[in-house]
Amino acid sequence: MSDATGTARRYIGRFAPSPTGPLHFGSLIAATGSYLQARSKRGLWLVRIEDLDLPREQPGAAAHILRTLDAYGFQWDREVVYQSRRTPIYHDALSRLLTGGHVYYCGCTRTQIEAQGRIGTFGPVYPGTCRARKLCDGRGRSLRVATHDGAIGFDDAHLGHFSQRLESETGDFVIRRADGQIAYHLAVVMDDAAQGITQVVRGADLLDSTPRQIYLQRLLGLPTPNYLHLPVAVNESGQKLSKQTHAKAISLTDPRPYLAAALRFLNHGPPSSLQAAGLGDLWRWAIETWSPDRIPRVHRIERIQPV
Ligand code: GLU
């Protein structure tokens, strides 16, 4: 990878869990894929705790996630970043977007938006009702980004080209909620830029969030990293493994079978000669063998029983 001057830039990847509960098999896949991609490129691998959504955060979950990563043999570089300690940076970005006229206050309720009846790929599309109303900030007012309908696309390193027309597919989206909470899309683009992330490796459930993030990067003059979206693990009912779908925590004391299962999920099942190998040998083998071309080119895979 080179920058505009042709100087080789060091690969910097990341894992960005939300501390809503202990790590489950789905998050282990994202951690494993991003780690192997970074280590196989002799790059850095950073950990960022996405703890902005305080009502959904489970006390102690961030520390538990870090303990689990450590028990599985993940070694992160630099200090762990916590989004909850970075709110002034996000507010600064909001002011820049306001000054640039890219965002506006919106007083519409969810019910009002649903009543407009425009349904896009991801649910109700905001029809731009408050765009021209020039509302001030106040109780119950969110901040939305004004979108346009030009295609915003990118070449995913695994799934190929993906593009969206934001105005018709998502509508103007919220970057500060009515309760004052900074939305994920704004925090993630500010942090990926601040941490110098060169490639984002994460689950394909976030593929369709990427055009919104690229749009924000452009408005804020931030670089766009490369993206690689991994298949996500789903349960028997086709739902993504998550706290909401009651995904079980992965074992803290017996990591090896879970790690081997994550590798199998990514089509890098360890050979039988490594059956008795320790975590260190397993990681060494995986880093040497890692080839993203081998990962199944699909968005979702039914979970393989870890043990
Ligand atoms: N915090 C998000 C999650 O746990 C991941 C965000 C990202 O990788 O961009 O699902």
Side-chain angles (χ1 to χ4, degrees), residues 48 83 86 90 186-197:
R48 179 169 76 228
Q83 287 190 328
R86 292 174 49 76
Y90 310 136
L186 180 66
V188 85
V189 300
M190 293 305 292
D191 292 344
D192 283 338
Q195 294 187 288
I197 303 301

Side-chain angles (χ1 to χ4, degrees), residues 17-261:
S18 307
T20 49
L23 283 189
H24 51 77
F25 188 63
S27 26
L28 178 63
I29 289 160
T32 305
S34 61
Y35 189 68
L36 289 174
Q37 182 71 350
R39 289 294 180 243
S40 66
K41 291 182 179 297
R42 298 185 192 289
L44 301 178
W45 187 71
L46 314 183
V47 174
R48 179 169 76 228
I49 300 290
E50 302 211 319
D51 55 351
L52 270 188
D53 200 354
L54 295 175
R56 280 179 60 225
E57 188 181 341
Q58 204 186 71
H64 191 273
I65 288 173
L66 295 177
R67 265 208 312 284
T68 311
L69 289 175
D70 189 47
Y72 277 68
F74 289 95
Q75 294 173 353
W76 56 91
D77 298 293
R78 299 188 183 152
E79 265 184 50
V80 172
V81 164
Y82 292 83
Q83 287 190 328
S84 57
R85 301 180 191 164
R86 292 174 49 76
T87 43
I89 292 155
Y90 310 136
H91 283 284
D92 200 54
L94 282 184
S95 314
R96 279 165 52 206
L97 290 169
L98 270 167
T99 311
H102 303 299
V103 291
Y104 59 88
Y105 291 104
C106 168
C108 297
T109 62
R110 190 182 293 247
T111 321
Q112 284 168 330
I113 298 167
E114 280 168 4
Q116 309 271 345
R118 275 179 63 190
I119 302 292
T121 332
F122 322 104
V125 171
Y126 184 68
T129 322
C130 293
R131 236 197 233 190
R133 288 175 70 195
K134 305 247 176 300
L135 296 177
C136 299
D137 200 1
R139 250 175 86 97
R141 301 249 158 107
S142 61
L143 257 178
R144 287 184 186 271
V145 187
T147 56
H148 60 67
D149 226 20
I152 298 189
F154 68 103
D155 290 315
D156 187 84
H158 188 53
L159 295 174
H161 192 73
F162 182 79
S163 93
Q164 274 176 349
R165 295 182 186 276
L166 294 182
E167 191 172 7
S168 45
E169 291 185 56
T170 69
D172 296 348
F173 55 97
V174 170
I175 53 167
R176 195 215 65 193
R177 297 190 327 215
D179 62 4
Q181 181 72 56
I182 300 290
Y184 155 70
H185 292 303
L186 180 66
V188 85
V189 300
M190 293 305 292
D191 292 344
D192 283 338
Q195 294 187 288
I197 303 301
T198 60
Q199 187 178 48
V200 170
V201 178
R202 60 185 179 188
D205 54 314
L206 292 167
L207 182 73
D208 50 33
S209 292
T210 310
R212 276 170 282 178
Q213 294 175 11
I214 293 176
Y215 182 55
L216 278 178
Q217 286 155 359
R218 291 178 186 167
L219 293 181
L220 289 159
L222 303 173
T224 292
N226 192 277
Y227 288 92
L228 190 161
H229 288 90
L230 303 166
V232 289
V234 295
N235 63 20
E236 306 71 30
S237 323
Q239 299 162 309
K240 181 192 158 206
L241 300 188
S242 67
K243 193 181 170 219
Q244 287 75 24
T245 60
H246 311 292
K248 280 215 310 261
I250 52 171
S251 168
L252 191 59
T253 50
D254 187 21
R256 210 192 165 289
Y258 289 87
L259 179 58

